[in-house]
Amino acid sequence: MTIASSSPPSRLPVGGAAEAHSKPRTRRTEMGENRGDGRLAALFIAPALLGFVVFLLWPTLRGIYLSFTRFNLLTPAEWVGLDNYVRMVNDPIFWDSLTVTVEYVVINIGVQTVAALAIAVLLQRLTQSAMLRGIVLTPYLMSNVVAGLVWLWILDTQLGIGNEIISAVGADRIPFLADESWAIPTIALINVWRHVGYTALLLFAGLQAIPGDMYEAARVDGASEWRMFWRITMPLLRPVLAVVLIMTVIGSFQVFDTVAVTTAGGPANATNVLQYYIYGSAFGRFQFGYASAMSVALLVVLSAITVLQYRLTRAGRTDLG
């Protein structure tokens, strides 16, 4: 006589058999997987890192070294210590070029920021047509050299269509690029025309991140469009606007090609911006050591301005909850 066991048969939970036969994950296994991911990441980063080292890091370090030397490409670099920096401090043309550059930056950044912000708000509040955004961006697709040449022909004092229109309405022709008082504002506005669409689209992208519910709630409370702009749009757009300002200021200090194809630093050095003076010192007079010293000075100025802008605008923080 067989007596049945009173204890029920043991059952593994669903998936228990697989768990029972699976190998436990060890620290060594996880380290091996992380090492494999690290190698794959390094493989993807390598081309960009190589380009950074070859085209940015090495030229920067080389330029800093050359700033302490006398070098003209024909003879080996001769170490002169701080002589180039002393010469720079005592060079009136350097300070004049820096003043002209600051004047250009103030006009360019002021007009471009206001115009780009207005275009971005209009695109966001009135229409979000992709075709209209493409039209706004069109001038940015043109190179600075082409834009400079086109406006050089348009603004020509004798044959330019711009002065032909001015003359047709009975006003005197304006030597936009041939007069000392008009040259820098004209170059600044040419670059505003080219870059304002791109800047506007960057700000437009920042506006898209602002919740629409805030505007709806403000309308319910009776707020006007102007009040909503100052109380909602500007505070919440601040981080994006700060980054855009940092980018445009750095780019404005590096203006060169528009000046080179329109005025070549003239008339009477009225548009001799710092980058053009550096270029003339290096490739016109073969004073590469002195040009490198001015480049390092410009690097220091831009670094200081960037840090100051970042802190004053609190670019790393947002008011969005």
PDB file of all heavy atoms in Angstrom, residues 26-50:
ATOM      1  N   THR A  26      28.525  39.700 -11.951  1.00  0.00           N
ATOM      2  CA  THR A  26      29.614  40.006 -11.037  1.00  0.00           C
ATOM      3  C   THR A  26      30.153  41.382 -11.327  1.00  0.00           C
ATOM      4  O   THR A  26      29.859  41.985 -12.361  1.00  0.00           O
ATOM      5  CB  THR A  26      30.746  38.974 -11.184  1.00  0.00           C
ATOM      6  OG1 THR A  26      31.282  39.071 -12.503  1.00  0.00           O
ATOM      7  CG2 THR A  26      30.237  37.567 -10.924  1.00  0.00           C
ATOM      8  N   ARG A  27      30.930  41.916 -10.415  1.00  0.00           N
ATOM      9  CA  ARG A  27      31.536  43.223 -10.602  1.00  0.00           C
ATOM     10  C   ARG A  27      32.476  43.211 -11.795  1.00  0.00           C
ATOM     11  O   ARG A  27      32.580  44.193 -12.535  1.00  0.00           O
ATOM     12  CB  ARG A  27      32.297  43.617  -9.326  1.00  0.00           C
ATOM     13  CG  ARG A  27      32.907  45.011  -9.382  1.00  0.00           C
ATOM     14  CD  ARG A  27      33.579  45.343  -8.070  1.00  0.00           C
ATOM     15  NE  ARG A  27      34.177  46.668  -8.107  1.00  0.00           N
ATOM     16  CZ  ARG A  27      33.526  47.785  -7.869  1.00  0.00           C
ATOM     17  NH1 ARG A  27      32.221  47.742  -7.603  1.00  0.00           N
ATOM     18  NH2 ARG A  27      34.134  48.948  -7.891  1.00  0.00           N
ATOM     19  N   ARG A  28      33.141  42.083 -12.002  1.00  0.00           N
ATOM     20  CA  ARG A  28      34.059  41.977 -13.134  1.00  0.00           C
ATOM     21  C   ARG A  28      33.306  42.053 -14.453  1.00  0.00           C
ATOM     22  O   ARG A  28      33.752  42.688 -15.416  1.00  0.00           O
ATOM     23  CB  ARG A  28      34.841  40.671 -13.039  1.00  0.00           C
ATOM     24  CG  ARG A  28      35.852  40.469 -14.164  1.00  0.00           C
ATOM     25  CD  ARG A  28      36.681  39.229 -13.913  1.00  0.00           C
ATOM     26  NE  ARG A  28      37.444  39.332 -12.670  1.00  0.00           N
ATOM     27  CZ  ARG A  28      38.218  38.366 -12.199  1.00  0.00           C
ATOM     28  NH1 ARG A  28      38.335  37.224 -12.875  1.00  0.00           N
ATOM     29  NH2 ARG A  28      38.873  38.537 -11.065  1.00  0.00           N
ATOM     30  N   THR A  29      32.101  41.424 -14.503  1.00  0.00           N
ATOM     31  CA  THR A  29      31.305  41.477 -15.723  1.00  0.00           C
ATOM     32  C   THR A  29      30.874  42.896 -16.034  1.00  0.00           C
ATOM     33  O   THR A  29      30.955  43.373 -17.172  1.00  0.00           O
ATOM     34  CB  THR A  29      30.070  40.580 -15.582  1.00  0.00           C
ATOM     35  OG1 THR A  29      30.495  39.249 -15.289  1.00  0.00           O
ATOM     36  CG2 THR A  29      29.261  40.576 -16.868  1.00  0.00           C
ATOM     37  N   GLU A  30      30.403  43.621 -15.008  1.00  0.00           N
ATOM     38  CA  GLU A  30      29.970  44.993 -15.206  1.00  0.00           C
ATOM     39  C   GLU A  30      31.138  45.883 -15.629  1.00  0.00           C
ATOM     40  O   GLU A  30      30.983  46.765 -16.488  1.00  0.00           O
ATOM     41  CB  GLU A  30      29.342  45.529 -13.926  1.00  0.00           C
ATOM     42  CG  GLU A  30      28.029  44.821 -13.566  1.00  0.00           C
ATOM     43  CD  GLU A  30      27.457  45.350 -12.257  1.00  0.00           C
ATOM     44  OE1 GLU A  30      28.139  46.172 -11.637  1.00  0.00           O
ATOM     45  OE2 GLU A  30      26.345  44.953 -11.894  1.00  0.00           O
ATOM     46  N   MET A  31      32.311  45.652 -15.041  1.00  0.00           N
ATOM     47  CA  MET A  31      33.477  46.443 -15.421  1.00  0.00           C
ATOM     48  C   MET A  31      33.849  46.186 -16.876  1.00  0.00           C
ATOM     49  O   MET A  31      34.248  47.105 -17.618  1.00  0.00           O
ATOM     50  CB  MET A  31      34.649  46.120 -14.509  1.00  0.00           C
ATOM     51  CG  MET A  31      34.490  46.634 -13.085  1.00  0.00           C
ATOM     52  SD  MET A  31      35.856  46.166 -12.014  1.00  0.00           S
ATOM     53  CE  MET A  31      37.209  47.000 -12.815  1.00  0.00           C
ATOM     54  N   GLY A  32      33.715  44.921 -17.307  1.00  0.00           N
ATOM     55  CA  GLY A  32      34.021  44.594 -18.693  1.00  0.00           C
ATOM     56  C   GLY A  32      33.065  45.276 -19.663  1.00  0.00           C
ATOM     57  O   GLY A  32      33.474  45.786 -20.708  1.00  0.00           O
ATOM     58  N   GLU A  33      31.769  45.304 -19.294  1.00  0.00           N
ATOM     59  CA  GLU A  33      30.799  45.983 -20.149  1.00  0.00           C
ATOM     60  C   GLU A  33      31.067  47.481 -20.209  1.00  0.00           C
ATOM     61  O   GLU A  33      30.978  48.100 -21.271  1.00  0.00           O
ATOM     62  CB  GLU A  33      29.380  45.711 -19.631  1.00  0.00           C
ATOM     63  CG  GLU A  33      28.943  44.268 -19.780  1.00  0.00           C
ATOM     64  CD  GLU A  33      27.550  44.047 -19.240  1.00  0.00           C
ATOM     65  OE1 GLU A  33      26.998  44.994 -18.650  1.00  0.00           O
ATOM     66  OE2 GLU A  33      27.017  42.944 -19.396  1.00  0.00           O
ATOM     67  N   ASN A  34      31.388  48.086 -19.063  1.00  0.00           N
ATOM     68  CA  ASN A  34      31.686  49.518 -19.042  1.00  0.00           C
ATOM     69  C   ASN A  34      32.931  49.836 -19.867  1.00  0.00           C
ATOM     70  O   ASN A  34      33.002  50.859 -20.544  1.00  0.00           O
ATOM     71  CB  ASN A  34      31.890  49.997 -17.599  1.00  0.00           C
ATOM     72  CG  ASN A  34      30.600  49.942 -16.797  1.00  0.00           C
ATOM     73  OD1 ASN A  34      29.517  49.996 -17.374  1.00  0.00           O
ATOM     74  ND2 ASN A  34      30.713  49.844 -15.486  1.00  0.00           N
ATOM     75  N   ARG A  35      33.932  48.916 -19.790  1.00  0.00           N
ATOM     76  CA  ARG A  35      35.144  49.130 -20.572  1.00  0.00           C
ATOM     77  C   ARG A  35      34.832  49.076 -22.068  1.00  0.00           C
ATOM     78  O   ARG A  35      35.363  49.857 -22.852  1.00  0.00           O
ATOM     79  CB  ARG A  35      36.196  48.081 -20.195  1.00  0.00           C
ATOM     80  CG  ARG A  35      37.567  48.363 -20.794  1.00  0.00           C
ATOM     81  CD  ARG A  35      38.590  47.326 -20.365  1.00  0.00           C
ATOM     82  NE  ARG A  35      38.825  47.370 -18.925  1.00  0.00           N
ATOM     83  CZ  ARG A  35      38.447  46.401 -18.092  1.00  0.00           C
ATOM     84  NH1 ARG A  35      37.835  45.323 -18.563  1.00  0.00           N
ATOM     85  NH2 ARG A  35      38.683  46.508 -16.798  1.00  0.00           N
ATOM     86  N   GLY A  36      33.940  48.157 -22.451  1.00  0.00           N
ATOM     87  CA  GLY A  36      33.554  48.065 -23.854  1.00  0.00           C
ATOM     88  C   GLY A  36      32.802  49.302 -24.322  1.00  0.00           C
ATOM     89  O   GLY A  36      33.037  49.802 -25.424  1.00  0.00           O
ATOM     90  N   ASP A  37      31.908  49.829 -23.474  1.00  0.00           N
ATOM     91  CA  ASP A  37      31.194  51.054 -23.822  1.00  0.00           C
ATOM     92  C   ASP A  37      32.158  52.232 -23.930  1.00  0.00           C
ATOM     93  O   ASP A  37      31.996  53.096 -24.793  1.00  0.00           O
ATOM     94  CB  ASP A  37      30.115  51.351 -22.766  1.00  0.00           C
ATOM     95  CG  ASP A  37      28.995  50.328 -22.790  1.00  0.00           C
ATOM     96  OD1 ASP A  37      28.868  49.624 -23.806  1.00  0.00           O
ATOM     97  OD2 ASP A  37      28.264  50.223 -21.785  1.00  0.00           O
ATOM     98  N   GLY A  38      33.139  52.265 -23.025  1.00  0.00           N
ATOM     99  CA  GLY A  38      34.117  53.345 -23.069  1.00  0.00           C
ATOM    100  C   GLY A  38      34.930  53.323 -24.343  1.00  0.00           C
ATOM    101  O   GLY A  38      35.216  54.375 -24.933  1.00  0.00           O
ATOM    102  N   ARG A  39      35.320  52.126 -24.791  1.00  0.00           N
ATOM    103  CA  ARG A  39      36.082  52.022 -26.038  1.00  0.00           C
ATOM    104  C   ARG A  39      35.251  52.454 -27.234  1.00  0.00           C
ATOM    105  O   ARG A  39      35.745  53.142 -28.142  1.00  0.00           O
ATOM    106  CB  ARG A  39      36.560  50.587 -26.221  1.00  0.00           C
ATOM    107  CG  ARG A  39      37.650  50.159 -25.228  1.00  0.00           C
ATOM    108  CD  ARG A  39      37.955  48.682 -25.362  1.00  0.00           C
ATOM    109  NE  ARG A  39      39.004  48.276 -24.427  1.00  0.00           N
ATOM    110  CZ  ARG A  39      39.355  47.009 -24.226  1.00  0.00           C
ATOM    111  NH1 ARG A  39      38.767  46.029 -24.904  1.00  0.00           N
ATOM    112  NH2 ARG A  39      40.317  46.723 -23.357  1.00  0.00           N
ATOM    113  N   LEU A  40      33.955  52.079 -27.237  1.00  0.00           N
ATOM    114  CA  LEU A  40      33.078  52.479 -28.337  1.00  0.00           C
ATOM    115  C   LEU A  40      32.882  53.994 -28.345  1.00  0.00           C
ATOM    116  O   LEU A  40      32.914  54.625 -29.407  1.00  0.00           O
ATOM    117  CB  LEU A  40      31.721  51.776 -28.203  1.00  0.00           C
ATOM    118  CG  LEU A  40      30.720  52.015 -29.347  1.00  0.00           C
ATOM    119  CD1 LEU A  40      31.295  51.524 -30.662  1.00  0.00           C
ATOM    120  CD2 LEU A  40      29.393  51.327 -29.046  1.00  0.00           C
ATOM    121  N   ALA A  41      32.706  54.575 -27.163  1.00  0.00           N
ATOM    122  CA  ALA A  41      32.553  56.030 -27.076  1.00  0.00           C
ATOM    123  C   ALA A  41      33.822  56.733 -27.547  1.00  0.00           C
ATOM    124  O   ALA A  41      33.754  57.736 -28.262  1.00  0.00           O
ATOM    125  CB  ALA A  41      32.223  56.430 -25.640  1.00  0.00           C
ATOM    126  N   ALA A  42      34.989  56.210 -27.143  1.00  0.00           N
ATOM    127  CA  ALA A  42      36.255  56.811 -27.569  1.00  0.00           C
ATOM    128  C   ALA A  42      36.411  56.738 -29.081  1.00  0.00           C
ATOM    129  O   ALA A  42      36.944  57.663 -29.706  1.00  0.00           O
ATOM    130  CB  ALA A  42      37.420  56.108 -26.879  1.00  0.00           C
ATOM    131  N   LEU A  43      35.925  55.643 -29.693  1.00  0.00           N
ATOM    132  CA  LEU A  43      36.000  55.487 -31.144  1.00  0.00           C
ATOM    133  C   LEU A  43      35.175  56.554 -31.853  1.00  0.00           C
ATOM    134  O   LEU A  43      35.606  57.128 -32.864  1.00  0.00           O
ATOM    135  CB  LEU A  43      35.528  54.088 -31.548  1.00  0.00           C
ATOM    136  CG  LEU A  43      35.567  53.754 -33.043  1.00  0.00           C
ATOM    137  CD1 LEU A  43      36.992  53.794 -33.554  1.00  0.00           C
ATOM    138  CD2 LEU A  43      34.937  52.389 -33.297  1.00  0.00           C
ATOM    139  N   PHE A  44      33.987  56.839 -31.318  1.00  0.00           N
ATOM    140  CA  PHE A  44      33.130  57.852 -31.934  1.00  0.00           C
ATOM    141  C   PHE A  44      33.673  59.264 -31.706  1.00  0.00           C
ATOM    142  O   PHE A  44      33.521  60.139 -32.558  1.00  0.00           O
ATOM    143  CB  PHE A  44      31.701  57.748 -31.367  1.00  0.00           C
ATOM    144  CG  PHE A  44      30.910  56.618 -31.947  1.00  0.00           C
ATOM    145  CD1 PHE A  44      30.506  55.559 -31.159  1.00  0.00           C
ATOM    146  CD2 PHE A  44      30.557  56.614 -33.287  1.00  0.00           C
ATOM    147  CE1 PHE A  44      29.775  54.517 -31.691  1.00  0.00           C
ATOM    148  CE2 PHE A  44      29.823  55.580 -33.833  1.00  0.00           C
ATOM    149  CZ  PHE A  44      29.438  54.525 -33.041  1.00  0.00           C
ATOM    150  N   ILE A  45      34.292  59.491 -30.561  1.00  0.00           N
ATOM    151  CA  ILE A  45      34.794  60.825 -30.224  1.00  0.00           C
ATOM    152  C   ILE A  45      36.113  61.136 -30.924  1.00  0.00           C
ATOM    153  O   ILE A  45      36.453  62.296 -31.161  1.00  0.00           O
ATOM    154  CB  ILE A  45      34.957  60.951 -28.689  1.00  0.00           C
ATOM    155  CG1 ILE A  45      33.597  60.884 -28.008  1.00  0.00           C
ATOM    156  CG2 ILE A  45      35.663  62.232 -28.305  1.00  0.00           C
ATOM    157  CD1 ILE A  45      33.675  60.838 -26.507  1.00  0.00           C
ATOM    158  N   ALA A  46      36.861  60.086 -31.289  1.00  0.00           N
ATOM    159  CA  ALA A  46      38.221  60.260 -31.815  1.00  0.00           C
ATOM    160  C   ALA A  46      38.311  61.235 -32.991  1.00  0.00           C
ATOM    161  O   ALA A  46      39.193  62.114 -32.994  1.00  0.00           O
ATOM    162  CB  ALA A  46      38.798  58.900 -32.202  1.00  0.00           C
ATOM    163  N   PRO A  47      37.446  61.159 -34.028  1.00  0.00           N
ATOM    164  CA  PRO A  47      37.587  62.113 -35.150  1.00  0.00           C
ATOM    165  C   PRO A  47      37.433  63.573 -34.709  1.00  0.00           C
ATOM    166  O   PRO A  47      38.219  64.431 -35.113  1.00  0.00           O
ATOM    167  CB  PRO A  47      36.470  61.694 -36.110  1.00  0.00           C
ATOM    168  CG  PRO A  47      36.202  60.261 -35.782  1.00  0.00           C
ATOM    169  CD  PRO A  47      36.409  60.147 -34.301  1.00  0.00           C
ATOM    170  N   ALA A  48      36.411  63.836 -33.878  1.00  0.00           N
ATOM    171  CA  ALA A  48      36.205  65.210 -33.409  1.00  0.00           C
ATOM    172  C   ALA A  48      37.356  65.655 -32.509  1.00  0.00           C
ATOM    173  O   ALA A  48      37.811  66.806 -32.585  1.00  0.00           O
ATOM    174  CB  ALA A  48      34.881  65.322 -32.661  1.00  0.00           C
ATOM    175  N   LEU A  49      37.843  64.745 -31.679  1.00  0.00           N
ATOM    176  CA  LEU A  49      38.953  65.085 -30.793  1.00  0.00           C
ATOM    177  C   LEU A  49      40.218  65.369 -31.593  1.00  0.00           C
ATOM    178  O   LEU A  49      40.973  66.305 -31.285  1.00  0.00           O
ATOM    179  CB  LEU A  49      39.197  63.944 -29.803  1.00  0.00           C
ATOM    180  CG  LEU A  49      40.301  64.168 -28.767  1.00  0.00           C
ATOM    181  CD1 LEU A  49      39.966  65.361 -27.892  1.00  0.00           C
ATOM    182  CD2 LEU A  49      40.492  62.912 -27.916  1.00  0.00           C
ATOM    183  N   LEU A  50      40.438  64.580 -32.636  1.00  0.00           N
ATOM    184  CA  LEU A  50      41.604  64.806 -33.495  1.00  0.00           C
ATOM    185  C   LEU A  50      41.515  66.173 -34.171  1.00  0.00           C
ATOM    186  O   LEU A  50      42.493  66.930 -34.221  1.00  0.00           O
ATOM    187  CB  LEU A  50      41.698  63.699 -34.549  1.00  0.00           C
ATOM    188  CG  LEU A  50      42.859  63.803 -35.548  1.00  0.00           C
ATOM    189  CD1 LEU A  50      44.197  63.727 -34.825  1.00  0.00           C
ATOM    190  CD2 LEU A  50      42.757  62.704 -36.600  1.00  0.00           C
TER     191      LEU A  50
END
